[in-house]
Coordinates of all heavy atoms in Angstrom, one line a residue:
L16 N 3.1 4.5 4.0 CA 2.6 3.1 4.1 C 2.9 2.3 2.9 O 3.4 1.1 2.9 CB 1.2 3.0 4.5 CG 0.6 1.6 4.6 CD1 1.3 0.8 5.7 CD2 -0.9 1.6 4.8
N17 N 2.7 2.9 1.7 CA 3.0 2.2 0.5 C 4.5 1.8 0.4 O 4.8 0.7 0.0 CB 2.6 3.2 -0.7 CG 3.0 2.6 -2.1 OD1 2.4 1.7 -2.5 ND2 4.0 3.2 -2.7
A18 N 5.4 2.8 0.7 CA 6.8 2.5 0.6 C 7.2 1.4 1.7 O 8.0 0.5 1.4 CB 7.6 3.8 0.8
A19 N 6.7 1.6 2.9 CA 7.1 0.7 4.0 C 6.6 -0.7 3.7 O 7.3 -1.7 3.9 CB 6.6 1.2 5.3
S20 N 5.4 -0.9 3.2 CA 4.8 -2.2 2.9 C 5.5 -2.9 1.8 O 5.7 -4.1 1.8 CB 3.3 -2.1 2.7 OG 3.0 -1.2 1.6
L21 N 6.0 -2.1 0.8 CA 6.7 -2.7 -0.4 C 8.0 -3.3 0.1 O 8.4 -4.4 -0.2 CB 7.0 -1.7 -1.4 CG 7.7 -2.2 -2.7 CD1 7.1 -1.6 -4.0 CD2 9.2 -2.0 -2.7
V22 N 8.7 -2.5 1.0 CA 10.0 -3.0 1.5 C 9.8 -4.3 2.4 O 10.6 -5.2 2.3 CB 10.7 -1.9 2.3 CG1 11.9 -2.5 3.1 CG2 11.1 -0.8 1.4
W23 N 8.7 -4.3 3.1 CA 8.4 -5.4 4.0 C 8.1 -6.7 3.1 O 8.6 -7.7 3.4 CB 7.2 -5.1 4.9 CG 6.7 -6.2 5.7 CD1 7.3 -6.7 6.9 CD2 5.6 -7.1 5.5 NE1 6.6 -7.8 7.4 CE2 5.6 -8.0 6.5 CE3 4.6 -7.1 4.5 CZ2 4.6 -9.0 6.6 CZ3 3.6 -8.1 4.6 CH2 3.6 -9.0 5.7
I24 N 7.3 -6.5 2.1 CA 7.0 -7.6 1.2 C 8.3 -8.1 0.5 O 8.4 -9.3 0.3 CB 5.9 -7.2 0.1 CG1 4.6 -6.8 0.8 CG2 5.7 -8.3 -0.9 CD1 3.6 -6.2 -0.2
K25 N 9.2 -7.2 0.1 CA 10.4 -7.6 -0.5 C 11.3 -8.4 0.4 O 12.0 -9.3 0.0 CB 11.2 -6.4 -1.0 CG 12.4 -6.7 -1.9 CD 13.0 -5.5 -2.6 CE 14.1 -6.0 -3.5 NZ 14.7 -4.8 -4.3
K26 N 11.3 -8.1 1.7 CA 12.0 -8.9 2.6 C 11.6 -10.4 2.6 O 12.3 -11.3 2.9 CB 11.9 -8.4 4.1 CG 12.7 -7.1 4.3 CD 12.5 -6.6 5.7 CE 13.3 -5.3 5.9 NZ 13.1 -4.7 7.3
I27 N 10.3 -10.6 2.3 CA 9.7 -12.0 2.3 C 10.0 -12.6 1.0 O 10.3 -13.8 0.9 CB 8.2 -11.9 2.6 CG1 8.0 -11.3 4.0 CG2 7.6 -13.3 2.5 CD1 6.5 -11.1 4.3
T28 N 9.8 -11.9 -0.1 CA 9.9 -12.5 -1.5 C 11.2 -12.4 -2.1 O 11.5 -13.0 -3.1 CB 8.8 -11.8 -2.4 OG1 9.2 -10.4 -2.6 CG2 7.4 -11.9 -1.8
G29 N 12.1 -11.5 -1.6 CA 13.4 -11.2 -2.3 C 13.1 -10.5 -3.6 O 12.2 -9.6 -3.6
E30 N 13.9 -10.8 -4.6 CA 13.8 -10.0 -5.9 C 12.7 -10.6 -6.7 O 12.4 -10.0 -7.8 CB 15.1 -10.2 -6.6 CG 16.3 -9.5 -6.0 CD 16.2 -7.9 -6.0 OE1 15.4 -7.4 -6.8 OE2 16.8 -7.3 -5.1
R31 N 12.0 -11.6 -6.3 CA 10.9 -12.2 -7.1 C 9.6 -11.4 -6.9 O 9.5 -10.7 -5.9 CB 10.7 -13.7 -6.7 CG 11.9 -14.6 -6.9 CD 11.6 -15.9 -6.2 NE 11.4 -15.8 -4.8 CZ 10.8 -16.7 -4.0 NH1 10.3 -17.8 -4.6 NH2 10.6 -16.5 -2.7
F32 N 8.7 -11.6 -7.8 CA 7.3 -11.1 -7.6 C 7.2 -9.6 -7.5 O 6.6 -9.1 -6.5 CB 6.6 -11.8 -6.5 CG 6.7 -13.3 -6.5 CD1 7.3 -14.0 -5.4 CD2 6.3 -14.1 -7.6 CE1 7.4 -15.4 -5.3 CE2 6.5 -15.5 -7.5 CZ 7.0 -16.1 -6.4
L33 N 7.8 -8.9 -8.4 CA 7.7 -7.4 -8.4 C 6.3 -7.0 -8.4 O 5.9 -6.0 -7.7 CB 8.5 -6.8 -9.5 CG 8.4 -5.3 -9.7 CD1 9.0 -4.6 -8.5 CD2 9.2 -4.8 -10.9
A34 N 5.5 -7.6 -9.2 CA 4.1 -7.2 -9.3 C 3.3 -7.4 -7.9 O 2.5 -6.5 -7.6 CB 3.3 -8.1 -10.3
L35 N 3.7 -8.4 -7.2 CA 3.1 -8.6 -5.9 C 3.5 -7.4 -5.0 O 2.6 -6.9 -4.2 CB 3.5 -9.9 -5.3 CG 3.1 -10.2 -3.8 CD1 1.6 -10.3 -3.7 CD2 3.7 -11.5 -3.3
R36 N 4.7 -7.0 -5.0 CA 5.2 -5.9 -4.2 C 4.5 -4.6 -4.6 O 4.0 -3.8 -3.7 CB 6.7 -5.7 -4.3 CG 7.5 -6.9 -3.8 CD 8.9 -6.6 -3.6 NE 9.6 -6.2 -4.8 CZ 10.2 -7.1 -5.6 NH1 10.1 -8.4 -5.4 NH2 10.9 -6.7 -6.6
T37 N 4.5 -4.3 -5.9 CA 3.9 -3.0 -6.3 C 2.4 -2.9 -6.1 O 1.9 -1.9 -5.6 CB 4.2 -2.7 -7.8 OG1 3.7 -3.8 -8.6 CG2 5.8 -2.6 -8.0
I38 N 1.7 -3.9 -6.5 CA 0.2 -3.9 -6.4 C -0.2 -4.1 -5.0 O -1.1 -3.4 -4.5 CB -0.4 -5.0 -7.3 CG1 -0.1 -4.8 -8.8 CG2 -1.9 -5.1 -7.0 CD1 -0.6 -5.8 -9.7
G39 N 0.5 -5.0 -4.2 CA 0.2 -5.2 -2.8 C 0.4 -3.9 -2.0 O -0.5 -3.5 -1.2
S40 N 1.5 -3.3 -2.2 CA 1.8 -2.1 -1.4 C 0.9 -0.9 -1.8 O 0.4 -0.2 -0.9 CB 3.3 -1.6 -1.6 OG 3.5 -1.3 -3.0
T41 N 0.6 -0.8 -3.1 CA -0.4 0.3 -3.5 C -1.8 0.0 -3.0 O -2.5 0.9 -2.6 CB -0.4 0.4 -5.0 OG1 0.9 0.7 -5.5 CG2 -1.4 1.4 -5.5
A42 N -2.2 -1.3 -2.9 CA -3.5 -1.6 -2.4 C -3.6 -1.1 -0.9 O -4.7 -0.6 -0.5 CB -3.7 -3.1 -2.4
L43 N -2.6 -1.3 -0.1 CA -2.6 -0.8 1.3 C -2.5 0.7 1.3 O -3.3 1.3 2.0 CB -1.4 -1.5 2.0 CG -1.5 -3.0 2.3 CD1 -0.2 -3.5 2.9 CD2 -2.7 -3.3 3.1
G44 N -1.5 1.3 0.6 CA -1.3 2.7 0.7 C -2.5 3.5 0.2 O -2.9 4.5 0.8
A45 N -3.0 3.1 -1.0 CA -4.1 3.8 -1.6 C -5.4 3.7 -0.8 O -6.2 4.6 -0.7 CB -4.3 3.3 -3.0
L46 N -5.5 2.5 -0.2 CA -6.7 2.3 0.7 C -6.7 3.3 1.8 O -7.8 3.9 2.1 CB -6.8 0.8 1.2 CG -7.9 0.5 2.1 CD1 -9.3 0.6 1.4 CD2 -7.8 -0.9 2.6
L47 N -5.6 3.4 2.5 CA -5.5 4.3 3.7 C -5.6 5.7 3.2 O -6.3 6.5 3.9 CB -4.3 4.0 4.5 CG -4.2 4.5 5.9 CD1 -5.4 4.0 6.7 CD2 -2.9 4.2 6.6
D48 N -5.0 6.1 2.1 CA -5.0 7.4 1.6 C -6.4 7.8 1.3 O -6.9 8.9 1.7 CB -4.1 7.5 0.3 CG -4.2 8.8 -0.3 OD1 -4.7 9.8 0.3 OD2 -3.7 8.9 -1.5
T49 N -7.1 6.9 0.6 CA -8.5 7.2 0.2 C -9.4 7.3 1.4 O -10.3 8.2 1.4 CB -9.0 6.2 -0.8 OG1 -8.1 6.1 -1.9 CG2 -10.4 6.5 -1.3
A50 N -9.3 6.4 2.3 CA -10.1 6.3 3.5 C -10.0 7.6 4.3 O -10.9 8.2 4.8 CB -9.8 5.1 4.3
I51 N -8.7 8.0 4.5 CA -8.5 9.2 5.4 C -9.0 10.4 4.7 O -9.7 11.2 5.3 CB -6.9 9.4 5.6 CG1 -6.4 8.3 6.5 CG2 -6.6 10.7 6.2 CD1 -4.9 8.3 6.7
F52 N -8.7 10.6 3.4 CA -9.2 11.8 2.7 C -10.8 11.8 2.7 O -11.3 12.9 3.0 CB -8.7 11.8 1.2 CG -9.3 13.0 0.5 CD1 -8.8 14.2 0.6 CD2 -10.4 12.8 -0.4 CE1 -9.3 15.3 -0.1 CE2 -10.9 13.8 -1.1 CZ -10.4 15.1 -1.0
T53 N -11.4 10.8 2.3 CA -12.8 10.7 2.2 C -13.5 11.0 3.6 O -14.5 11.8 3.7 CB -13.3 9.4 1.7 OG1 -12.7 9.1 0.4 CG2 -14.8 9.4 1.5
T54 N -13.0 10.4 4.6 CA -13.6 10.5 5.9 C -13.4 11.9 6.5 O -14.3 12.6 7.0 CB -13.0 9.5 6.9 OG1 -13.2 8.2 6.4 CG2 -13.6 9.6 8.3
V55 N -12.1 12.4 6.5 CA -11.9 13.7 7.1 C -12.5 14.8 6.3 O -13.0 15.8 6.8 CB -10.3 13.9 7.2 CG1 -10.0 15.3 7.7 CG2 -9.7 12.9 8.1
A56 N -12.5 14.7 4.9 CA -13.1 15.7 4.1 C -14.6 15.8 4.1 O -15.1 16.9 4.1 CB -12.6 15.5 2.6
W57 N -15.3 14.7 4.2 CA -16.7 14.7 3.9 C -17.6 14.2 5.1 O -18.8 14.3 5.0 CB -17.0 13.9 2.7 CG -16.2 14.3 1.5 CD1 -15.3 13.6 0.8 CD2 -16.3 15.6 0.8 NE1 -14.8 14.3 -0.2 CE2 -15.4 15.5 -0.3 CE3 -17.0 16.7 1.0 CZ2 -15.2 16.6 -1.1 CZ3 -16.8 17.8 0.1 CH2 -15.9 17.7 -0.9
A58 N -17.0 13.7 6.1 CA -17.8 13.2 7.2 C -18.7 14.3 7.8 O -18.2 15.4 8.1 CB -16.9 12.6 8.3
G59 N -20.0 14.1 7.9 CA -20.9 15.0 8.5 C -21.5 16.0 7.4 O -22.4 16.7 7.7
T60 N -20.9 16.0 6.2 CA -21.4 16.8 5.2 C -22.1 16.1 4.0 O -22.9 16.6 3.3 CB -20.3 17.7 4.6 OG1 -19.3 16.9 4.0 CG2 -19.7 18.5 5.7

């Protein structure tokens, strides 16, 4: 998701706003990564 969202953001912004692409894509990828790990690993325990 991190890689796909970065490419998607780049299609909108072009070569501008690298920080928006890197931080924005990581915000999405890391959120899903953390949510999946925490939920699957610890739910019910």
Side-chain angles (χ1 to χ4, degrees):
L16 176 62
N17 176 67
S20 58
L21 185 142
V22 172
W23 178 76
I24 296 172
K25 187 170 185 177
K26 288 181 179 179
I27 298 173
T28 63
E30 294 293 335
R31 301 171 299 161
F32 310 124
L33 176 61
L35 175 63
R36 297 196 295 275
T37 58
I38 296 175
S40 62
T41 298
L43 292 173
L46 178 63
L47 198 56
D48 178 11
T49 304
I51 290 174
F52 175 80
T53 304
T54 302
V55 177
W57 306 116
T60 62

